């Protein structure tokens, strides 16, 4: 048994949730916030059998796309202003950060 922890951008959350449900994966969704851009994310907790991990990863890959986005940098508060860029920059956002963890015990009450 494995626990898949997938952190995805909010824009991809509903699409991934629908795909997981359609393919009989049960998932718990948690609201989360990214540290770099301070933007909304959704963290999915998916418990599944070892043999189904490749299918779950395929669904995550298909439904969580990276994209370029213009962002306004946050001004440094007490930090080094030498490296501060005062204009919007284009960064790649989206995709998914996924962790697959072994589960020693699983109980459903």
């Amino acid at each position: 048994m494995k626990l898949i922890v997938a952190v995805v951008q909010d824009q991809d959350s509903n699409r991934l949730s629908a795909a997981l449900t359609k393919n009989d994966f049960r998932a718990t969704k948690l609201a989360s916030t990214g540290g770099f851009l301070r933007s909304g994310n959704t963290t999915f907790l998916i418990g599944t059998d070892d043999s189904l991990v490749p299918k779950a990863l395929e669904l995550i890959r298909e439904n969580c796309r990276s994209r370029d986005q213009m962002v306004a940098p946050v001004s440094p508060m007490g930090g080094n202003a030498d490296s501060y860029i005062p204009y919007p920059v284009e960064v790649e956002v989206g995709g998914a950060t996924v962790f697959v963890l072994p589960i020693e015990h699983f109980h459903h009450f």
Side-chain angles (χ1 to χ4, degrees), residues 57 63 74 83 93 103:
L57 294 176
N63 290 282
V74 177
S83 62
V93 297
I103 300 299

Side-chain angles (χ1 to χ4, degrees), residues 79-107:
N80 185 354
D82 295 338
S83 62
Y84 174 66
I85 304 170
Y87 50 86
V89 294
E90 188 173 53
V91 297
E92 185 177 325
V93 297
T97 301
V98 181
F99 303 91
V100 179
L101 308 167
I103 300 299
E104 195 169 312
H105 295 281
F106 170 74
H107 304 280

